[in-house]
Amino acid sequence: MSMMNKTDVFMWRLTSAAALCAAGVLSVGAAWAEEVFELDAITVTGTGFAVQVMDNPASLTVQGETQMKRIAPKSVASFLNEVPGVQVSEEGIERVSIRGETAARVAVLINGQKLTDHSNYGQPIMVDPSTIERIEVVRGPSSVITGSSAIGGVINIILKKGTPVPFEMTTTAGYFSATKGWRASNTISGTVAAGAGELDYRLSFGASKQGDRETPNGTLDPSSSEDQSLSAHMGWTKDNHYFAIDAMAFDLGAEVFTEQNGFTIDLPKRNLRKVALSYEATNLSPVVDKVALNAFYQTVDRVFDSDISQGRFPVFVDINAYSEDAQKTTGLNGRVELSFGPTSRTVFGFEYVDDAVVTDKTTTTRITNMVVPSPPASQRVGHDEAGIKTLALYGQHEMDLSSAVTATVGARWFNVSASLDASSTDGVNNPLSSNSDSGILGAAGLVWRSSDALSLRANLSQGYTYPTLSQLFLTTVGGSNTTYGNPDLKPETATTLELGARYDGGAGQLDATLFYTKSDDYIAKVITGRTAVWENVDEARAYGLELQGEYNLGAVTPYASLALMRREITYANGFSTYDSGTPRVSGRLGVKGDWDAWNMAGDWDVFMRGASGAGMRDQDGVMDGPSLGGGYATLNLAVSAQVSDSFRVSAEVGNLFDCAYEGYDQNPGAGRNIAVFATKTW
């Protein structure tokens, strides 16, 4: 089936599913259902100031507790499926891309502190879903406030603190039929008097085990995963001062479904440890509104094990690549918010991050000859130690140009230095190298609040992604290919122009964004035979429309979350293509409402989720077969019930028509399945 035919099928399914949604639920009575997204939420992501989403010049979506409690949380990615322009990739471990930019170009933060990753794949989200208070997603470059890796956007995960009562215990447990898997967590939390102030606390433990995924065409073997987590929070409040310590441990392991005979990838270990100290003070003087400081230390231990067997009788070759990586990160952040008058605010901040990676890699090659004696196995052992230090200063100023118009302007200076400190192959030392860069980025925004219900905005922002230590210095083996680092790489850069409108009229809500992004110095592999090297060779431009909206019809509330976009990549040889791994259309359409019966209340949601076909062509115009995704649309049903004040049950039936599908950079989708979750609070 051609790509055009696949797109046609997707559009037919989209239209049919939307019609089925409407027809199936119009007879059901409902009150006002919970909002799909929040326009009145207060957030500092995007501007650095505490501001409502309605007044934020950036493209920002907030998924709060109200929205998340409706979702059966297999993983954090489950909460992001409703955000336009966000796609979840599956390579054993889920990662998130925004506006077609891979996970390596998306910054992931926990409580405003960045998680760094120096692999070639980008940062996965390693958080227990039950510990999340809200998720703030910025779509588009946001490096003035966030720093590196924010070309595609930013995902800031805010974790829960202590509950306002002295003691509370919450248990959540769920089952997923698609993987015959489960997820469970238990939390104790509260707030008690402590000296002259109050102490809030939270202790959470969670675990998940997922088996191989069942699809309409069979079982994906292997595709299992498991994780376990432990997190703790303790904070002390006295007057306008708040001190806190947070610690977390998250262990993740996964098997990768490769869709290729004789090729296996196992990710048995990716363990995160993190501890953070923070301080925040508000209303210190008529000028100083807020001071915030935090310091953190985190480690990530990774194991990667791949094996590829190839050849034909009588000679067969098996190549095993095994690596153990240990990453240590120390970070320090500070921010001060100032008010010099009733019509302006200013924020100044700094960021310091020190990353160090130690990696040991072993490549074993075995040649089997079925006719003559086989040679002994050969082995190549590598050891590398590398580090990268980043110092950045930034400032953002907000001013009221009139009673309805607010302007924001900001800049960031950064200085980055990276070095390969030790390197050897089979015990022989390799040459050492280094890389450094500095520069200034800017952003400017304008918001016109024409009425209480409507705001119009324009935003110009820049982003950059500094090369990872793997891209700069390390040699990696995947399958039968060897990729070498390049110490002469430059950072990737991007500039985006956005025009948007937000409307919150009570019965209806709308958040619409038009955007255009130009990116340069993309880092990509240049392959020659069985070797490759990282180079700044590509550029890209993307443009599109993102929509989130809903409207209360009284009995039901139809809603939509859609992204329509095109993304063109231009390679160093001049070849350009729109087959850049980005669906033209993706998103979610649905109808939702509330119900009240049998002394219980809850909500329901009938929705279609889908995307048009997408693929990735290389510089020679050849389509990457394993990542190719066809257009698809699935019809789904979600229902929740508040059985009592302390007991809630939610369930989701996915892929009601049991359709076989596979989105871009994803595993084949699960067949008809059910996920059931229950939450009890004591």
Side-chain angles (χ1 to χ4, degrees):
M1 181 179 290
S2 68
M3 183 66 69
M4 182 60 70
N5 287 336
K6 289 181 179 179
T7 301
D8 292 342
V9 169
F10 163 76
M11 295 305 295
W12 179 85
R13 286 180 178 172
L14 185 151
T15 305
S16 300
L20 285 169
C21 288
V25 298
L26 282 176
S27 61
V28 181
W32 173 255
E34 295 169 345
E35 296 173 346
V36 176
F37 56 102
E38 298 183 6
L39 293 179
D40 57 353
I42 304 294
T43 172
V44 299
T45 306
T47 65
F49 300 107
V51 62
Q52 279 191 344
V53 174
M54 281 285 288
D55 299 319
N56 199 312
S59 298
L60 179 69
T61 299
V62 176
Q63 291 290 87
E65 192 171 6
T66 299
Q67 291 78 31
M68 292 190 294
K69 70 181 182 181
R70 301 182 292 110
I71 300 170
K74 177 184 175 184
S75 64
V76 177
S78 305
F79 298 141
L80 301 174
N81 285 323
E82 295 183 9
V83 181
V86 171
Q87 298 288 325
V88 178
S89 65
E90 298 175 323
E91 293 172 331
I93 297 175
E94 291 182 332
R95 294 176 171 87
V96 176
S97 64
I98 300 178
R99 289 183 177 173
E101 302 293 356
T102 66
R105 301 182 181 109
V106 175
V108 178
L109 287 64
I110 297 179
N111 291 336
Q113 301 159 359
K114 190 182 302 178
L115 293 177
T116 56
D117 181 89
H118 288 281
S119 70
N120 300 326
Y121 306 102
Q123 176 64 50
I125 301 177
M126 302 174 66
V127 178
D128 181 350
S130 68
T131 64
I132 298 175
E133 176 183 302
R134 69 183 186 276
I135 303 176
E136 302 170 350
V137 181
V138 177
R139 307 183 304 278
S142 185
S143 285
V144 167
I145 297 298
T146 308
S148 181
S149 302
I151 283 181
V154 179
I155 298 172
N156 188 17
I157 300 171
I158 310 299
L159 302 182
K160 295 176 181 177
K161 299 179 180 179
T163 51
V165 296
F167 178 84
E168 182 177 279
M169 183 170 71
T170 302
T171 300
T172 299
Y175 171 77
F176 305 93
S177 69
T179 58
K180 296 182 175 61
W182 55 269
R183 176 174 289 282
S185 65
N186 193 67
T187 299
I188 58 172
S189 62
T191 300
V192 295
E198 289 186 332
L199 180 75
D200 71 286
Y201 66 91
R202 174 176 290 270
L203 179 64
S204 299
F205 171 77
S208 172
K209 188 175 181 63
Q210 309 296 329
D212 294 336
R213 178 182 293 178
E214 299 290 339
T215 78
N217 294 329
T219 304
L220 304 188
D221 184 15
S223 59
S224 65
S225 66
E226 60 181 318
D227 65 67
Q228 60 182 17
S229 63
L230 178 66
S231 63
H233 162 83
M234 184 162 44
W236 185 65
T237 304
K238 182 181 183 300
D239 300 326
N240 56 337
H241 300 273
Y242 185 70
F243 305 84
I245 180 171
D246 292 89
M248 64 178 298
F250 194 98
D251 295 346
L252 174 63
E255 296 177 300
V256 180
F257 180 68
T258 64
E259 299 188 72
Q260 183 177 339
N261 292 331
F263 183 35
T264 62
I265 298 177
D266 188 19
L267 308 174
K269 178 182 179 181
R270 188 181 181 105
N271 297 347
L272 169 69
R273 303 289 184 270
K274 180 177 181 179
V275 61
L277 300 173
S278 59
Y279 165 74
E280 185 175 294
T282 57
N283 301 320
L284 294 176
S285 75
V287 174
V288 182
D289 292 335
K290 185 176 182 179
V291 172
L293 295 168
N294 67 72
F296 63 93
Y297 175 76
Q298 64 187 29
T299 63
V300 178
D301 295 320
R302 295 183 290 257
V303 172
F304 176 90
D305 189 359
S306 72
D307 193 276
I308 185 168
S309 298
Q310 54 189 3
R312 58 184 179 181
F313 186 85
V315 179
F316 299 90
V317 179
D318 180 89
I319 302 174
N320 177 264
Y322 181 88
S323 67
E324 293 186 3
D325 303 336
Q327 177 180 325
K328 297 180 180 180
T329 302
T330 303
L332 181 64
N333 298 280
R335 189 176 76 250
V336 57
E337 296 179 20
L338 308 173
S339 292
F340 298 105
T343 61
S344 68
R345 294 187 296 174
T346 303
V347 60
F348 293 108
F350 71 89
E351 177 189 35
Y352 174 77
V353 179
D354 184 352
D355 283 328
V357 173
V358 177
T359 177
D360 291 287
K361 303 179 186 294
T362 302
T363 303
T364 304
T365 303
R366 296 179 177 87
I367 300 176
T368 302
N369 193 310
M370 308 299 291
V371 177
V372 300
S374 302
S378 63
Q379 196 170 72
R380 178 177 178 177
V381 178
H383 174 83
D384 296 288
E385 299 177 18
I388 183 170
K389 295 180 174 64
T390 302
L391 175 64
L393 305 174
Y394 63 88
Q396 190 106 323
H397 183 64
E398 178 190 87
M399 68 198 87
D400 294 336
L401 302 182
S402 70
S403 60
V405 179
T406 301
T408 304
V409 60
R412 182 186 189 94
W413 170 85
F414 64 91
N415 181 274
V416 187
S417 60
S419 60
L420 179 62
D421 302 317
S423 179
S424 65
T425 303
D426 295 332
V428 179
N429 289 334
N430 298 319
L432 304 181
S433 54
S434 62
N435 182 291
S436 63
D437 189 70
S438 62
I440 297 177
L441 301 166
L446 197 65
V447 177
W448 175 33
R449 193 69 179 261
S450 63
S451 67
D452 290 341
L454 177 65
S455 66
L456 304 177
R457 62 185 182 86
N459 192 44
L460 180 67
S461 59
Q462 292 182 305
Y464 80 104
T465 297
Y466 194 79
T468 66
L469 291 173
S470 179
Q471 293 170 336
L472 286 168
F473 305 123
L474 306 184
T475 299
T476 58
V477 177
S480 59
N481 295 321
T482 301
T483 302
Y484 297 94
N486 179 0
D488 297 323
L489 289 173
K490 297 182 294 184
E492 302 174 326
T493 60
T495 301
T496 289
L497 174 63
E498 299 173 329
L499 300 175
R502 295 184 175 111
Y503 176 80
D504 188 355
Q509 287 186 310
L510 177 67
D511 190 347
T513 303
L514 285 168
F515 68 90
Y516 176 85
T517 300
K518 179 69 168 61
S519 305
D520 295 300
D521 292 323
Y522 264 21
I523 298 172
K525 292 180 184 179
V526 176
I527 301 174
T528 304
R530 291 190 173 183
T531 64
V533 64
W534 296 102
E535 298 279 4
N536 292 103
V537 295
D538 305 340
E539 62 181 40
R541 64 186 185 99
Y543 54 91
L545 171 66
E546 296 165 339
L547 292 169
Q548 277 188 296
E550 62 177 50
Y551 191 80
N552 178 24
L553 297 177
V556 296
T557 301
Y559 69 90
S561 175
L562 299 172
L564 296 84
M565 68 173 292
R566 301 298 308 277
R567 182 169 176 267
E568 182 185 35
I569 290 181
T570 300
Y571 292 97
N573 64 359
F575 176 71
S576 297
T577 178
Y578 280 99
D579 287 326
S580 57
T582 306
R584 292 189 183 188
V585 184
S586 63
R588 173 169 171 156
L589 295 173
V591 184
K592 62 190 176 73
D594 296 333
W595 62 269
D596 188 348
W598 309 298
N599 296 320
M600 295 186 296
D603 51 64
W604 53 264
D605 188 357
V606 183
F607 61 94
M608 184 280 300
R609 181 186 295 127
S612 58
M616 174 72 78
R617 293 189 186 276
D618 64 18
Q619 60 187 6
D620 298 318
V622 178
M623 187 73 76
D624 178 20
S627 66
L628 184 64
Y632 73 94
T634 61
L635 187 64
N636 313 271
L637 169 66
V639 180
S640 70
Q642 193 71 45
V643 181
S644 68
D645 291 341
S646 60
F647 185 53
R648 182 180 179 90
V649 178
S650 60
E652 181 176 320
V653 182
N655 197 1
L656 284 166
F657 293 155
D658 200 31
C659 299
Y661 70 96
E662 182 175 357
Y664 173 76
D665 207 22
Q666 296 180 351
N667 290 334
R672 185 183 300 113
N673 67 93
I674 185 170
V676 181
F677 259 75
T679 300
K680 172 66 176 176
T681 301
W682 288 272

